[in-house]
Amino acid sequence: MNYEEYTGKSVLLLGKTRSLNGVEFETLLKLHAMNAVKSFDDTVALIIEGKMMNPLELQESTRLYESHTVPIVDIGAIEKWLCGSIEPNRLLMSLKLSRDQDRLVDFLQNPYISNELFFKLLKLYDWQGEGLFDNDENRNVTAAIIGRFYQDLERNHNVQYAMSGLAHLVEKYGTYELITAISELSPIAKELKNPSEPSLKGVLDAMALHSATSESLLLVLLKERAYLLAHREPLALEQELLALDDETIGRSLAQNRTLSLSGADFLEQKYPELIASFYPLDEVRFERLTGNAVALASNSTLTVSMQERLMEMKDEAVFSALAQNTVLSLVHLETLFALNRYTVELASNTSLSAQQLETLYQSANPEILKALASNTSTPVEILYQLSLDQRYERGVKTNPSFGKHIQTTNLGWN
């Protein structure tokens, strides 16, 4: 609807406003030369249905619906349109001068203002030296942050009122702007400077691992969370992490596939088996690491040529590792399958065909069945059968492909 056509006319609001308080609502109406009236008369050109209508207003709404006198719209639609009229700089200046925290909180809870304005308003909020959920106002603002950016909120609305909800927001929906804004909230900024609040650990951990976190924030997180930073992909602060000369950090870096070539060359001297297992291989590095053949056999970047050379070693441990490698070529899979000596390892390989997995299921070997229960390629019919046995029930329940099947078929699963 084009609300501009009601400029200079009267509108009737039945009930209360939702996202704007009454004063803001009328002020924005006046910007469009629209006059809010208290009762219906011949001058009313638009009726707005608000929230919490009293019995008389409900009765009036029903009467006006039936008379088809003038258009009737929901309060949300016109509030959204009115919020597009807000002048950000004027509002920010007004709030800075007045220091009206109640008005500020109202705007922070308003879903119709832009994200850009929201982040600017958030900087003005005074957390009163308390935590994110320590008082009603702080709780409302924290809930507003989560509620604005958390998708599918209606399916998990309690997430707005838990610290774990903020951590999950960063982890799943974090952007550079959102993570930066959260890091600047005074309770978070204080924790970054002087760690002391265990409840914020999950939020800061999520920031350390997120690919959108700024390098300047990562530098602040480095002291307490170097181990997590070593797991980030893409990797950041590589030189700073290497400079720590810490074995735990070094071993984590050696398993990071986004490590630089120079970083991989350096760590290969200390942890050749980890580089052989995890780092993307080229021919030169493969040849150099053939002394770590078992580790190489588990690498997911093996080419067919590399696989062939490993197969030619005819080493039992190498065969066992290859049997679990999902990039193993069809020919080599068939070869190992025919040997009938690596059935447990093959049972966990998602690259096996449904027929091969069925053959393994028929063996009734408990170790094989356990592996099949967790294999995302195992046919759902087999998973159903395995779920009936307590030994494999947990594996089936935690199998993502079975969970997806349950959801798509609308079946309960307890």
Side-chain angles (χ1 to χ4, degrees):
M1 179 179 288
N2 180 15
Y3 296 110
E4 295 290 351
E5 64 185 66
Y6 298 101
T7 297
K9 299 179 181 179
S10 295
V11 299
L12 169 64
L13 171 63
L14 297 174
K16 306 294 184 183
T17 54
R18 182 178 292 122
S19 297
L20 292 164
N21 64 38
V23 174
E24 304 285 358
F25 183 76
E26 292 198 14
T27 299
L28 290 172
L29 281 177
K30 288 177 182 177
L31 281 178
H32 295 275
M34 295 167 72
N35 179 43
V37 297
K38 303 297 183 182
S39 59
F40 184 79
D41 58 33
D42 292 341
T43 68
V44 173
L46 182 69
I47 298 166
I48 304 167
E49 283 193 329
K51 67 175 185 178
M52 298 172 61
M53 285 190 283
N54 62 40
L56 290 176
E57 289 172 323
L58 285 169
Q59 185 177 356
E60 179 71 346
S61 175
T62 301
R63 183 183 73 79
L64 292 169
Y65 260 119
E66 292 172 350
S67 67
H68 302 288
T69 308
V70 294
I72 301 176
V73 297
D74 180 72
I75 183 68
I78 197 163
E79 282 187 329
K80 182 177 182 179
W81 174 71
L82 288 173
C83 286
S85 307
I86 294 173
E87 296 183 26
N89 291 335
R90 180 175 293 181
L91 175 61
L92 289 165
M93 183 59 68
S94 173
L95 288 167
K96 284 179 182 178
L97 292 174
S98 68
R99 298 185 179 181
D100 187 338
Q101 290 288 287
D102 290 337
R103 187 182 180 210
L104 174 58
V105 172
D106 283 343
F107 273 107
L108 287 171
Q109 294 177 307
N110 188 328
Y112 302 128
I113 63 172
S114 69
N115 288 344
E116 182 182 4
L117 177 56
F118 178 83
F119 287 133
K120 289 178 179 177
L121 292 172
L122 198 55
K123 292 177 183 290
L124 301 181
Y125 182 69
D126 181 4
W127 295 85
Q128 305 165 53
E130 298 189 61
L132 298 172
F133 292 96
D134 286 355
N135 59 54
D136 289 344
E137 269 200 347
N138 287 6
R139 187 180 302 110
N140 288 339
V141 172
T142 304
I145 297 170
I146 298 171
R148 171 172 282 266
F149 298 102
Y150 198 101
Q151 298 174 26
D152 295 327
L153 190 65
E154 64 278 0
R155 298 179 62 182
N156 191 17
H157 59 89
N158 289 332
V159 76
Q160 284 183 270
Y161 302 98
M163 197 69 78
S164 58
L166 189 62
H168 193 241
L169 175 71
V170 172
E171 177 189 348
K172 194 169 184 182
Y173 305 111
T175 62
Y176 169 82
E177 293 79 11
L178 177 59
I179 293 171
T180 300
I182 292 174
S183 74
E184 292 173 350
L185 303 177
S186 63
I188 302 288
K190 179 182 177 182
E191 182 67 13
L192 286 168
K193 191 173 292 185
N194 297 300
S196 62
E197 181 50 64
S199 68
L200 291 172
K201 179 181 181 299
V203 178
L204 300 187
D205 285 353
M207 288 180 176
L209 289 169
H210 203 287
S211 61
T213 302
S214 69
E215 189 165 301
S216 59
L217 179 53
L218 292 177
L219 282 167
V220 177
L221 292 163
L222 176 63
K223 183 178 179 181
E224 297 289 329
R225 289 172 169 77
Y227 179 71
L228 287 180
L229 293 179
H231 284 81
R232 279 181 92 254
E233 291 189 8
L235 184 61
L237 306 185
E238 180 179 310
Q239 293 306 311
E240 289 83 353
L241 290 166
L242 287 170
L244 296 174
D245 195 25
D246 178 279
E247 182 177 358
T248 301
I249 303 301
R251 293 184 70 85
S252 296
L253 288 171
Q255 297 174 63
N256 193 315
R257 299 172 191 275
T258 62
L259 187 69
S260 70
L261 285 171
S262 59
D265 291 342
F266 175 75
L267 291 175
E268 185 182 313
Q269 302 171 46
K270 294 185 176 182
Y271 316 110
E273 77 288 351
L274 292 177
I275 294 295
S277 288
F278 296 99
Y279 197 72
L281 296 168
D282 56 28
E283 288 293 336
V284 174
R285 196 179 300 277
F286 177 83
E287 290 297 336
R288 196 164 64 224
L289 290 169
T290 50
N292 296 272
V294 175
L296 284 172
S298 65
N299 195 300
S300 64
T301 64
L302 286 174
T303 64
V304 175
S305 173
M306 293 173 185
Q307 294 172 27
E308 186 64 38
R309 278 171 280 175
L310 290 171
M311 291 287 290
E312 290 171 355
M313 293 180 179
K314 301 192 183 302
D315 181 285
E316 293 292 316
V318 172
F319 282 170
S320 178
L322 284 171
Q324 300 171 70
N325 195 325
T326 58
V327 302
L328 194 62
S329 71
L330 180 61
V331 172
H332 295 133
L333 265 178
E334 295 282 2
T335 299
L336 293 178
F337 193 87
L339 292 174
N340 202 33
R341 293 204 303 273
Y342 309 101
T343 49
V344 175
E345 293 88 342
L346 286 166
S348 66
N349 194 321
T350 57
S351 294
L352 258 65
S353 67
Q355 183 178 355
Q356 288 171 323
L357 292 166
E358 172 70 31
T359 300
L360 292 174
Y361 173 67
Q362 296 301 329
S363 71
N365 180 314
E367 289 301 310
I368 291 176
L369 298 183
K370 183 179 179 181
L372 288 174
S374 301
N375 190 328
T376 55
S377 293
T378 301
V380 69
E381 295 80 7
I382 293 177
L383 292 176
Y384 269 119
Q385 292 302 313
L386 291 171
S387 71
L388 302 176
D389 191 317
Q390 287 186 337
R391 293 173 296 175
Y392 317 118
E393 182 183 14
R394 179 173 177 78
V396 174
K397 279 190 172 183
T398 56
N399 187 321
S401 66
F402 191 70
K404 185 177 180 180
H405 172 76
I406 293 296
Q407 289 178 344
T408 55
T409 52
N410 295 318
L411 296 174
W413 186 253
N414 299 313

